[in-house]
Amino acid sequence: MDSLNRAAEELRSTQFPSELLKRCSVKRTRKMWAWTGCFPLLLVAVGLAAGARDGDVRLVGGQRSSEGRVEVFYGGQWGTVCDDGWGIAEAQVVCRQLNFPGALSAVSGGTYGQGSGAIWLDDMECTGDESDLPSCCFKGWGVSDCTHSEDAGVVCDRDTALNNVHVYAVDDGLNLSEKLGRLWDSGIGCDFSIVVQSPNRDPADETFCTHRFILSLDPDFTLVSSLQRSSNLTMLVSSACRPYVSSFLRYLYTRQIGITIASVLCLHQMASEFRVKQLQADSARLYPWLLPEDDTFSSPLSMYDDGIRTGDRVLQEVCLQYLAWNCEALINSTAWSTLSTETLQALLSRSDVIVPDEPFLLNALESWFMASGNETEPSTVAALLNNIRFSMISADTLYDLQFTSDTYKKYTALYDADMVEGYPFHVLSFQKLKTHMDSVDVGYSPRTYTGSPWGYIISATEISNYKQSNFNNPYNGWYNGFSRSFTTPAFNNALFQDKMMTWTVEIYFSAEECARRGYTCNSGLAARLYPSSYVQNYEGIGYNNRVVMVCDTGYIFHVQDFKDNIVYLPANSTTGQAYPCFTDQYSFQFVVRPQYKM
Ligand SMILES: *[C@@H]1O[C@H](CO)[C@@H](O)[C@H](O)[C@H]1NC(C)=O
Ligand SMILES: *[C@@H]1O[C@H](CO)[C@@H](O)[C@H](O)[C@H]1NC(C)=O
Ligand SMILES: *[C@@H]1O[C@H](CO)[C@@H](O)[C@H](O)[C@H]1NC(C)=O
Ligand SMILES: *[C@@H]1O[C@H](CO)[C@@H](O)[C@H](O)[C@H]1NC(C)=O
Ligand SMILES: *[C@@H]1O[C@H](CO)[C@@H](O)[C@H](O)[C@H]1NC(C)=O
């Protein structure tokens, strides 16, 4: 003991490789030690065992290679480990050092036979995460009061041994798709004819020679059942979709296809009809990308009709929401007058319709009536008019309708009934109005009105100017941030028309800007909209404000509600924009939406 103490004292003043110097608390064991801390004892190397390096471990004396007495190589010789402080954490380190995935147990008392020579390690203290045994704390190399009857051992888990070994993937199927495509193109060895036919044989029938085996790979494909029974079959395809049949069939070989705005509808139809599920799902997922590419609106409208026809609710909603958001452009387009009564009805009933104001929508409906001549049944006119939120039209404008609207003159009784429901909203208090209501009538809630006074536009140019003038000087503009103010009445009826309030809108263009204001925005884009003037807290009035994002190519691609005055927005086309704006150049329309709350 004393000589070891002295040796340790000497070593304290010696230079050690830094990895050997570690601070350790000494475990309380049944043996007492005269010093605290763990100090490696540097021994002089005497000879070298072939290949082994200081710190290497091996298992000796077990029946299998995954168990045995633990031996450690140091200073040219193998030695053992004393079982004082030996536990599962220590065993884990040994097993992982030997490339086993873990330890089953720590074994003590010389279970695997007594070793000979040095007892290198004693009072081991591992956390279990060390990469090798000598990285754990211990008294010092060769510092031990044990005998070989206390040699430690381990049983390692070998079931999934070689866990740390890399698996190198070999994938020679990379060009399989291409090869199958060549098989389709060449038709070599084909054994099954598909006759494509359209109504009235227009265009003329066309025959494709295919491979039975390839087509049978997709068990859902509706034509599969006939593959065995016959040598040919007939596929009925609308004439409009005939140009895409070949690429549809080729897809069945390669599982790859290029889809465009022109082909998406037909491919989706064929995939649905012949139950090629993956293509059906994938083409439906493309709708949000493709819809904005057609500014004539004829594709979104026919896709919606297709969704109705096939009962595909996701497709219906994707299309209808796009039409509702882009309602102003739709109304401006020539497609507007061609809308079916059903589509118009579905559109007008939505609260997410975005228009400058409600009279704009009423005008649009009237122009639709005019365009459809005298054919609209009064019951249809009544049903459509019923969707107009007359209370969202100012009393002045309502009053003027009877002199300015031709359709009013024609359907006076229908209009009068609806208009009478609109007036009370403007002249009665909410307390009075709600006496006969269980919940607030949807007709008393605004849609998304981008016109004056409720909408406030911040253009893409304004934003890029702001960014340019502030990027180089972080403590100038960025610190103050992008901020604008505008004014609206406190509520949208005649009683409030001169009770004004001021709103502040702030946009944060980076996660840092958000953080500076105390918000966490992962996408790096957020906006705040809050009343900046003192406002009287009018009972029963709340605000359900929205931000509308307009892509610089001209369509509305994202709409989101403020929650607690803040909204976290998707910053670019890869991150959750409803109809992605690929230019990543857009303007904002902030819309104040006052509402009665029960
Ligand atoms: C796949 O095709 C490309 C070109 O068509 C070729 O360069 C490449 O070697 C092919 N890979 C395999 C694994 O056949
Ligand atoms: C299609 O198959 C049926 C029955 O297998 C056969 O009678 C007919 O001739 C075939 N038609 C063509 C065009 O191969
Ligand atoms: C619709 O037309 C009006 C009048 O021509 C125009 O001011 C407005 O910008 C157009 N809106 C859209 C979304 O195209
Ligand atoms: C609509 O009906 C009126 C009379 O009821 C008639 O004068 C007018 O020509 C009709 N318009 C159309 C487009 O049919
Ligand atoms: C889009 O936003 C995500 C998340 O903020 C970001 O990781 C990605 O790089 C952005 N892509 C582009 C093209 O800016």
Side-chain angles (χ1 to χ4, degrees), residues 193 195 207 229-233:
S193 296
V195 182
T207 303
R229 282 188 273 105
S230 141
S231 65
N232 63 67
L233 62 80

Side-chain angles (χ1 to χ4, degrees), residues 36-102:
T36 59
C38 87
F39 298 100
L41 178 63
L42 213 59
L43 297 189
V44 180
V46 280
L48 286 168
R53 295 209 240 148
D54 286 357
D56 280 358
V57 294
R58 67 182 183 186
L59 302 180
V60 180
Q63 297 210 320
R64 290 177 297 191
S65 60
S66 56
E67 61 184 22
R69 181 173 70 244
V70 177
E71 295 199 353
V72 187
F73 190 79
Y74 188 75
Q77 58 169 306
W78 291 97
T80 61
V81 180
C82 178
D83 63 11
D84 291 346
W86 192 247
I88 193 71
E90 288 72 22
Q92 288 285 6
V93 174
V94 171
C95 290
R96 272 194 288 99
Q97 191 178 348
L98 289 167
N99 279 336
F100 293 101

Side-chain angles (χ1 to χ4, degrees), residues 521-525 569-575 582 584:
C521 56
N522 295 327
S523 78
L525 184 66
L569 296 164
N572 65 39
S573 54
T574 56
T575 57
F582 291 105
D584 288 333

Side-chain angles (χ1 to χ4, degrees), residues 475-591:
Y475 291 103
N476 179 10
W478 282 110
Y479 189 79
N480 297 319
F482 184 97
S483 168
R484 298 285 185 273
S485 293
F486 62 99
T487 318
T488 69
F491 197 64
N492 56 345
N493 71 8
L495 299 175
F496 284 82
Q497 63 190 358
D498 38 55
K499 294 189 167 58
M500 303 304 281
M501 66 192 287
T502 303
W503 296 87
T504 296
V505 52
E506 291 171 358
I507 308 180
Y508 310 138
F509 293 101
S510 69
E512 295 73 43
E513 272 194 286
C514 289
R516 212 178 283 136
R517 304 302 179 117
Y519 298 100
T520 307
C521 56
N522 295 327
S523 78
L525 184 66
R528 249 180 104 208
L529 177 60
Y530 56 95
S532 45
S533 59
Y534 171 76
V535 277
Q536 196 180 330
N537 195 9
Y538 297 110
E539 198 196 329
I541 292 179
Y543 298 91
N544 185 4
N545 299 338
R546 254 175 208 165
V547 58
V548 172
M549 297 169 81
V550 189
C551 194
D552 73 346
T553 56
Y555 65 94
I556 291 171
F557 67 93
H558 194 78
V559 175
Q560 208 171 317
D561 283 0
F562 281 88
K563 280 212 176 70
D564 298 329
N565 298 337
I566 183 121
V567 64
Y568 300 99
L569 296 164
N572 65 39
S573 54
T574 56
T575 57
Q577 298 173 353
Y579 305 95
C581 172
F582 291 105
T583 67
D584 288 333
Q585 291 284 322
Y586 40 77
S587 58
F588 293 90
Q589 297 182 333
F590 292 92
V591 180

Side-chain angles (χ1 to χ4, degrees), residues 22-208:
K22 36 174 72 241
R23 298 183 140 271
C24 302
S25 65
V26 160
K27 278 182 185 172
R28 299 203 176 276
T29 65
R30 55 199 149 88
K31 296 177 189 108
M32 290 303 294
W33 285 88
W35 73 81
T36 59
C38 87
F39 298 100
L41 178 63
L42 213 59
L43 297 189
V44 180
V46 280
L48 286 168
R53 295 209 240 148
D54 286 357
D56 280 358
V57 294
R58 67 182 183 186
L59 302 180
V60 180
Q63 297 210 320
R64 290 177 297 191
S65 60
S66 56
E67 61 184 22
R69 181 173 70 244
V70 177
E71 295 199 353
V72 187
F73 190 79
Y74 188 75
Q77 58 169 306
W78 291 97
T80 61
V81 180
C82 178
D83 63 11
D84 291 346
W86 192 247
I88 193 71
E90 288 72 22
Q92 288 285 6
V93 174
V94 171
C95 290
R96 272 194 288 99
Q97 191 178 348
L98 289 167
N99 279 336
F100 293 101
L104 293 177
S105 62
V107 176
S108 54
T111 307
Y112 291 106
Q114 299 188 9
S116 59
I119 299 174
W120 280 138
L121 304 175
D122 189 9
D123 274 358
M124 293 303 299
E125 192 180 5
C126 303
T127 64
D129 294 329
E130 293 85 352
S131 59
D132 53 25
L133 203 52
S135 299
C136 302
C137 285
F138 57 92
K139 288 227 197 73
W141 290 99
V143 182
S144 166
D145 59 347
C146 299
T147 66
H148 282 299
S149 66
E150 297 166 81
D151 283 350
V154 294
V155 180
C156 295
D157 181 1
R158 60 183 200 135
D159 276 354
T160 45
L162 303 184
N163 200 38
N164 290 334
V165 168
H166 283 110
V167 174
Y168 294 94
V170 172
D171 180 0
D172 295 333
L174 228 52
N175 290 358
L176 188 57
S177 179
E178 201 179 295
K179 286 173 186 156
L180 289 167
R182 282 203 291 275
L183 179 65
W184 159 262
D185 296 338
S186 70
I188 292 169
C190 64
D191 55 0
F192 189 78
S193 296
I194 293 183
V195 182
V196 182
Q197 208 173 76
S198 296
N200 305 323
R201 295 275 163 101
D202 176 32
D205 292 2
E206 200 177 354
T207 303
F208 294 94

